[in-house]
Amino acid sequence: MAQTYVAPYPAPVASGEATIADLLRSMRTHWRYIAIPTILVFIAATIFVNVVSPRYTGEAKLILQTADSYYTRPGQDRGADQTQLIDEQAVASQVQVVMSRDIAREAIRRLELVGNPEFDPGVRDVGLLRGLMMMLGLAKDPSVRAPEDRVLEKYYDALLVYPVGKSRIVSIEFRSKDPDLAAKAANTIAELYLAQQEDAKKDLARSASTWLGQNIDALRTRVADAEAKVEAFRARTGLLMGSGTNTLSAQQLSELSAQLAQARTAQSDAQAKAQLVRDLIRDGRAFEIPDVANNELIRRLIEQRINLRAQLALELRTLMPQHPRIKELNAQLQDLEGQIRGAAERTARTLENDSRIAGGRVQALQAAIDEQKQVVVQANENEVQLRALEREARTQREQLESYLTRYREATARDAENAAPPDARIVSRAVVPQNPSFPKKLPIVAITTFATLMLSAGAIVARELLGSGAPRPMVPVPAPAPAGAPVGPAGSGPLDRPGTSDIRPEPLRPGTPDAAPARAEALPPPPLRGSRYDFGNLIERLERIKVEDRARRLLVTGVDRGPEAVDVGRGLALTLAGIGRTILVEIDPDEQVSAEKGFTDLVAGEVSFADVIGREPGSKLHRIPVGTLKYDTVAAEPEALDVTLSALEKTYDWVVCVFRVNVRTDLVRLFAPRVDAVVIASNLEPASQDLVRTYEEAREAGASDVMVAREQAVPEMGEEAA
């Protein structure tokens, strides 16, 4: 029987969303729909920029600022910073003033735009179409409008006024076919704006001076009447003014109060001194009294007393106390002390007399103050009315002075050049040399590029909107891989020439092998060089419900063929193109590897970084078998759970593969810990070995068990037959 290899799965043109390659292919196919409109628009834009009449733009710039100096500014505003009053709203307001109709009408008159064919539609002849529209009422007859009103619309179309950035600069642009007119118009509009500002200030000052002049005479009369009432009331009530701002009665009361305070002070002082003298006399220290000690007689008596004490002390050295001489000296000493005491008594009596005199004065002053208080109280009642009259007179006078000051300022500002406008020209318009429209190169380039983009976008949009239509599967031949397994020709049904298929399906013992219906969605392209198409298998695996973790898979076989290894590795490589995938190799036999791997990781002898490696040429990560026997894994199921949980937090797919024949105990160990068990076998569905493996996986607690089998492909000659 002839033998043939199974060719790699052809790369189909997917049905569903269009790829970038599809879009590029469609653009290459329909290049005429892009090139022809682009060339036509390029030609039209080139003709337009060379035929259209050029427009020139004249630009003048104004700066808004307070033109008043310190001396020309009103007195009440001299301390204020006037530049802070011009904000963004003020600039925007002045822009509207520049565009006002008053300035527009005056500019039209000065520039003589009436009769200019560019701006006056009444100069041109009325065409047939416009005449018909005028008859139907769809257009206005320019002849029935005022000449300036006819020009206003064109004038505003040519005028552009705008603030420059966030500054106080206002730019005035005017467009015209005549460059001289464009520059002259911009300068004229700026000058008219400044003249309007100056006239507005003058009008305001003139109206203010007129109103103030009419009110000043009447106000002067009211001031004179108010001041006369004040003086008449003052004379009638006797509220004569003393020194300062006090009346005479209040001033007298103040003086009496001061004299009373002095008398009380003198009385207290005399009483205190008399009491002190009495205390010193009682203590025998009369000579310490200042008034006594300062007396010339007392001073001599004290000196004699000192001499007698010295003489007595000298005599006591030789004489007894009862000696006549001693007694004589003691008598003289007592007489001197009596004289000193008498002088002190006289001093005390003198101070007491002074105290009594001061007390009498206090009583007299108190009586005078009481009488003066009655006078002051009566005067205060009259003074309240007087203050009201004075306040009224003062208010009238202040108002008169304020009016006079403002009148003088308003009269001064009404003079020529006394009220400069709050703006000035910082840049006058010059005659432009280059037209502002059309910009030939930018217009041609932008329109051509826009047409190119729109044409390409239309084709892309058509391709995307039509990408939902089914696309034919076009086989793309590929060379056979070296060492590709071979099989007998015609050993299975033919789905598509040159293709093979992995058919995931639940296996029911005793049922014939029926090919399941293909899913409507096209599976992802197969792994290059593989014998299998994993599209349908992955589609079914993706329907497994999981929550915030990776999907765990177990790939096993029935006999000792290479199906489990081929399917497991190919499936893992394909899944690596979809998401993060790791392949865990399991060898249930007694043989172990010399390379650290999964068994060592479960036993805790190595870390994840020590055993995880990358499959060459792909994104797939791989963990080898390990150096320990799998009895170690079976003895520590909790460590196995921890290891699988750690892997599922990092990866999207965890694929465990039995490298050789299956051990029932390991199937029972892994089956309840995975989301699906894939049995790779080409046996007939009724095979006892396949049925036993399926039942063992089910009994072990696998939630989903599916069988993957390869379909044979006939030889080219048989296919042709």
Side-chain angles (χ1 to χ4, degrees):
M1 182 179 294
Q3 302 290 326
T4 182
Y5 67 87
V6 179
Y9 187 84
V13 178
S15 64
E17 296 184 357
T19 63
I20 296 178
D22 297 333
L23 300 179
L24 295 176
R25 187 183 307 109
S26 179
M27 293 174 66
R28 286 195 300 269
T29 303
H30 303 89
W31 64 271
R32 294 180 181 84
Y33 295 101
I34 300 176
I36 294 175
T38 303
I39 295 173
L40 293 177
V41 169
F42 173 78
I43 296 173
T46 304
I47 296 174
F48 172 78
V49 298
N50 287 280
V51 171
V52 68
S53 299
R55 298 291 192 275
Y56 297 88
T57 301
E59 181 183 16
K61 291 184 178 180
L62 301 171
I63 182 171
L64 304 180
Q65 62 182 12
T66 302
D68 288 334
S69 65
Y70 178 82
Y71 301 100
T72 60
R73 191 178 305 158
Q76 63 272 18
D77 296 334
R78 288 178 181 173
D81 186 6
Q82 299 295 316
T83 59
Q84 298 298 327
L85 301 179
I86 303 177
D87 53 9
E88 294 183 5
Q89 289 77 12
V91 175
S93 301
Q94 296 306 312
V95 168
Q96 297 302 318
V97 172
V98 176
M99 299 178 65
S100 64
R101 286 184 176 270
D102 293 338
I103 295 179
R105 294 179 186 276
E106 183 63 26
I108 290 172
R109 285 193 292 270
R110 291 195 182 185
L111 297 173
E112 299 178 352
L113 298 183
V114 177
N116 189 328
E118 182 182 356
F119 294 93
D120 191 354
V123 177
R124 299 188 296 269
D125 295 334
V126 179
L128 178 62
L129 178 61
R130 186 172 181 82
L132 181 61
M133 294 178 63
M134 290 167 53
M135 293 178 59
L136 297 176
L138 301 178
K140 295 182 179 180
D141 187 0
S143 61
V144 301
R145 301 169 61 187
E148 294 177 357
D149 293 338
R150 295 198 308 264
V151 180
L152 277 176
E153 184 176 354
K154 293 293 185 180
Y155 168 84
Y156 281 117
D157 290 341
L159 178 63
L160 177 62
V161 184
Y162 60 92
V164 179
K166 294 185 177 181
S167 64
R168 291 184 283 117
I169 300 293
V170 175
S171 179
I172 302 175
E173 295 182 358
F174 196 86
R175 295 181 298 276
S176 175
K177 296 179 181 178
D178 184 1
D180 295 329
L181 178 60
K184 181 180 178 182
N187 292 327
T188 301
I189 294 171
E191 293 169 356
L192 289 174
Y193 167 74
L194 297 179
Q196 186 190 59
Q197 292 287 308
E198 186 175 357
D199 293 342
K201 280 191 172 184
K202 288 182 179 180
D203 292 341
L204 182 62
R206 188 176 300 113
S207 62
S209 62
T210 302
W211 182 85
L212 290 171
Q214 296 173 355
N215 288 274
I216 283 176
D217 294 336
L219 189 58
R220 281 175 176 167
T221 303
R222 291 200 300 269
V223 170
D225 293 341
E227 291 179 346
K229 290 180 181 179
V230 170
E231 295 302 327
F233 184 81
R234 189 188 301 277
R236 186 174 64 252
T237 56
L239 295 175
L240 302 178
M241 300 301 296
S243 61
T245 58
N246 295 329
T247 60
L248 288 177
S249 57
Q251 185 174 351
Q252 291 175 0
L253 180 61
S254 177
E255 292 175 355
L256 289 174
S257 298
Q259 293 177 9
L260 178 60
Q262 293 176 359
R264 286 177 176 173
T265 301
Q267 181 184 10
S268 300
D269 190 18
Q271 289 177 353
K273 286 183 178 181
Q275 182 64 33
L276 178 61
V277 170
R278 294 292 183 187
D279 292 341
L280 291 176
I281 292 173
R282 187 171 52 253
D283 295 339
R285 296 183 299 168
F287 55 87
E288 296 180 2
I289 300 172
D291 293 336
V292 175
N294 293 334
N295 193 334
E296 185 66 27
L297 176 61
I298 299 302
R299 190 180 295 112
R300 287 196 300 269
L301 291 176
I302 291 174
E303 290 177 357
Q304 293 177 11
R305 179 174 173 271
I306 293 172
N307 293 332
L308 283 175
R309 283 183 176 275
Q311 187 177 359
L312 179 60
L314 181 62
E315 293 293 341
L316 284 175
R317 296 176 59 186
T318 57
L319 300 176
M320 297 296 291
Q322 299 301 323
H323 193 277
R325 179 62 180 167
I326 297 302
K327 290 180 179 182
E328 181 181 0
L329 292 174
N330 286 331
Q332 293 178 5
L333 183 61
Q334 290 177 1
D335 183 55
L336 290 174
E337 290 179 353
Q339 292 180 16
I340 294 172
R341 190 180 302 107
E345 290 288 345
R346 287 192 299 274
T347 301
R349 286 192 299 271
T350 301
L351 292 174
E352 290 175 352
N353 292 333
D354 293 342
S355 175
R356 285 192 292 271
I357 292 172
R361 181 171 177 76
V362 167
Q363 294 177 359
L365 289 173
Q366 185 65 47
I369 287 175
D370 293 339
E371 294 177 1
Q372 189 65 26
K373 283 182 179 178
Q374 299 298 326
V375 176
V376 172
V377 169
Q378 183 64 31
N380 287 341
E381 295 178 358
N382 297 328
E383 194 173 356
V384 171
Q385 301 180 18
L386 178 63
R387 284 197 297 269
L389 295 174
E390 289 177 343
R391 186 166 52 251
E392 178 65 21
R394 184 171 58 254
T395 302
Q396 296 289 345
R397 176 163 292 281
E398 290 176 354
Q399 186 176 5
L400 175 61
E401 293 175 354
S402 175
Y403 276 24
L404 288 173
T405 302
R406 292 175 181 269
Y407 178 76
R408 288 191 294 269
E409 292 176 351
T411 304
R413 294 173 72 84
D414 191 19
E416 187 69 23
N417 297 327
D422 291 337
R424 63 183 178 88
I425 299 177
V426 295
S427 176
R428 302 187 68 87
V430 297
V431 178
Q433 302 299 324
N434 298 320
S436 58
F437 178 84
K439 299 292 185 182
K440 295 184 178 181
L441 182 59
I443 290 177
V444 173
I446 292 174
T447 54
T448 304
F449 181 75
T451 305
L452 176 64
M453 291 294 100
L454 290 175
S455 302
I459 294 176
V460 170
R462 176 179 176 275
E463 185 70 18
L464 293 176
L465 293 176
S467 61
R471 301 169 183 269
M473 302 289 290
V474 182
V476 180
V486 297
S491 59
L494 176 63
D495 266 359
R496 188 180 293 111
T499 65
S500 59
D501 189 16
I502 290 292
R503 295 180 176 273
E505 57 180 351
L507 182 64
R508 296 182 178 86
T511 59
D513 181 15
R518 290 186 176 273
E520 294 182 359
L522 186 71
L527 181 70
R528 183 175 297 276
S530 173
R531 297 178 300 163
Y532 304 98
D533 172 20
F534 299 101
N536 293 332
L537 178 60
I538 293 175
E539 180 184 359
R540 177 166 175 176
L541 292 174
E542 286 180 340
R543 291 198 295 266
I544 299 174
K545 302 296 184 180
V546 295
E547 294 182 0
D548 299 331
R549 65 175 181 84
R551 292 180 174 89
R552 302 178 184 177
L553 309 177
L554 176 63
V555 181
T556 182
V558 176
D559 52 15
R560 302 184 64 88
E563 289 85 357
V565 176
D566 292 344
V567 171
R569 182 178 178 276
L571 177 60
L573 287 171
T574 305
L575 291 174
I578 301 175
R580 296 167 298 178
T581 306
I582 186 167
L583 176 64
V584 179
E585 297 180 353
I586 302 172
D587 192 348
D589 284 352
E590 298 297 332
Q591 300 176 359
V592 294
S593 172
E595 182 182 6
K596 297 287 186 179
F598 187 69
T599 56
D600 306 277
L601 182 61
V602 174
E605 296 184 1
V606 293
S607 64
F608 287 94
D610 297 332
V611 297
I612 296 179
R614 182 185 293 274
E615 187 76 9
S618 70
K619 298 180 180 179
L620 177 64
H621 288 183
R622 167 180 168 273
I623 299 179
V625 176
T627 61
L628 302 178
K629 295 183 178 180
Y630 262 79
D631 294 338
T632 305
V633 177
E636 298 182 1
E638 296 180 356
L640 177 61
D641 292 335
V642 172
T643 304
L644 294 177
S645 298
L647 291 175
E648 72 181 10
K649 291 180 180 179
T650 305
Y651 297 94
D652 300 323
W653 300 87
V654 179
V655 182
C656 302
V657 178
F658 284 157
R659 293 179 56 181
V660 293
N661 199 10
V662 182
R663 275 175 45 181
T664 303
D665 57 340
L666 290 183
V667 172
R668 293 176 179 175
L669 178 64
F670 278 90
R673 290 175 169 81
V674 297
D675 299 308
V677 176
V678 179
I679 302 175
S681 175
N682 290 327
L683 297 176
E684 294 297 328
S687 171
Q688 294 298 325
D689 293 335
L690 180 58
V691 172
R692 183 182 67 254
T693 304
Y694 180 87
E695 293 297 339
E696 287 178 353
R698 280 293 188 182
E699 292 175 359
S703 58
D704 194 0
V705 182
M706 58 191 72
V707 177
R709 60 194 309 269
E710 177 189 2
Q711 285 189 339
V713 180
E715 293 181 356
M716 298 303 295
E718 296 178 359
E719 178 184 354

